[in-house]
Amino acid sequence: MRFSTTTASLLASTAAAFSDSSPLVLFSTSKLLIPSGETSQLQSTSRALHTTHDILSSCPTSRYVLISQPNVHASDLRNPQSGVCHSANLCSAVDGEDVKGRYDVAEVIGDDISLDGLSNYIKAACAEAGKKDGLSVNEHRLEALPTQKGDARATKLAENDVEIGDILSGAQASGDDYTVIYFSSPHSPAVYESEYVESDAIQMELKRRTAEVIEPRAGNANDSSAPLFVKYQFFTPGIFMGLVGTIIMLAILYVGLSAVSSLEVSYGAFDKENGPAAQKKN
């Protein structure tokens, strides 16, 4: 199947694509008023959501289909090298003849887009625009893709695409007045799994080398050349330092007491003469 230029540019991921980004696709059978300058394929969640709200503020259709597929990346939907679309039902619906308005962002970076929040906004916008009667908002939550790249991820994407085809077929069968919004949560990084396999030969080599390690021999208490604190287990460094400190303090105390006891001053030398003899001298 060959898709048009619009589909070829849909969800096109750049060579330096962000691994934590997610796509956003909005298409409608009604002509959409897309703000100028909002065609960048790399936008923040707040910017992309603000543009989406501006488009939906006029309540362009009476039926809305919201599809949330967690953990999908733009490169999952379309191969950036070959251009092959891996979600054929979605790409085919975007290129449908009844589609008159499109808005898509390949890489949306930031917080999750709330499915309930988007649904509530549509209901409030249509009520404010006086188009509440006959309004239908259908929410669909698809299963998340596995985080690891491989056959399991591709298989789940194909299964979800079949479900998307059934959802869109039901919307198309109900008439040509609908808007579809397809979005995803930020892409979860794949958990690293080591490809290294340890063989039995490597394990035996590690055991052999471990056995060859020679630990230092501890000092023997009976060896006369052993250190003092190894030879006498109860003579610890703390006790030794305490004894040395005690000896020094006793020496200082002895010197002080000896100096005081050597003083030979009579008690009369400290008495002041206040008697009659001292007054006569004055």
Side-chain angles (χ1 to χ4, degrees), residues 201-215:
I202 296 178
Q203 292 181 358
M204 293 297 296
E205 180 67 17
L206 290 176
K207 291 180 180 179
R208 185 182 66 82
R209 294 189 177 185
T210 303
E212 292 177 354
V213 176
I214 301 176
E215 297 182 356

Side-chain angles (χ1 to χ4, degrees), residues 247-266:
I247 294 173
I248 294 175
M249 294 299 295
L250 290 176
I252 295 174
L253 181 61
Y254 172 77
V255 173
L257 293 176
S258 299
V260 172
S261 62
S262 64
L263 295 177
E264 297 180 354
V265 180
S266 62

Side-chain angles (χ1 to χ4, degrees), residues 203-235:
Q203 292 181 358
M204 293 297 296
E205 180 67 17
L206 290 176
K207 291 180 180 179
R208 185 182 66 82
R209 294 189 177 185
T210 303
E212 292 177 354
V213 176
I214 301 176
E215 297 182 356
R217 182 175 60 88
N220 189 357
N222 297 325
D223 189 0
S224 59
S225 62
L228 179 64
F229 298 118
V230 174
K231 191 172 183 180
Y232 301 99
Q233 297 181 0
F234 296 101
F235 194 55

Side-chain angles (χ1 to χ4, degrees), residues 7-8 10-14 73-87 91 157:
T7 306
L10 177 66
L11 307 177
S13 58
T14 61
H73 191 265
S75 59
D76 293 318
L77 302 180
R78 178 180 176 271
N79 190 304
Q81 282 77 31
S82 63
V84 176
C85 181
H86 299 302
S87 185
C91 293
L157 179 65

Side-chain angles (χ1 to χ4, degrees), residues 91-151:
C91 293
S92 178
V94 172
D95 267 349
E97 295 180 355
D98 55 345
V99 175
K100 299 179 181 179
R102 304 176 181 88
Y103 169 70
D104 61 85
V105 181
E107 297 184 82
V108 178
I109 301 176
D111 299 331
D112 294 355
I113 297 177
S114 173
L115 181 63
D116 295 333
L118 193 57
S119 176
N120 293 334
Y121 177 82
I122 293 173
K123 295 175 183 178
C126 290
E128 185 176 354
K131 301 179 181 180
K132 187 176 182 180
D133 296 338
L135 178 66
S136 174
V137 181
N138 298 323
E139 303 176 7
H140 301 275
R141 291 180 172 86
L142 306 182
E143 293 185 14
L145 300 184
T147 56
Q148 292 290 342
K149 294 284 187 180
D151 295 338

Side-chain angles (χ1 to χ4, degrees), residues 163-193:
E163 186 174 353
I164 292 174
D166 296 337
I167 295 171
L168 297 179
S169 297
Q172 294 168 354
S174 300
D176 57 352
D177 183 29
Y178 63 88
T179 298
V180 178
I181 306 175
Y182 174 91
F183 59 94
S184 173
S185 60
H187 178 67
S188 300
V191 179
Y192 173 75
E193 293 183 357

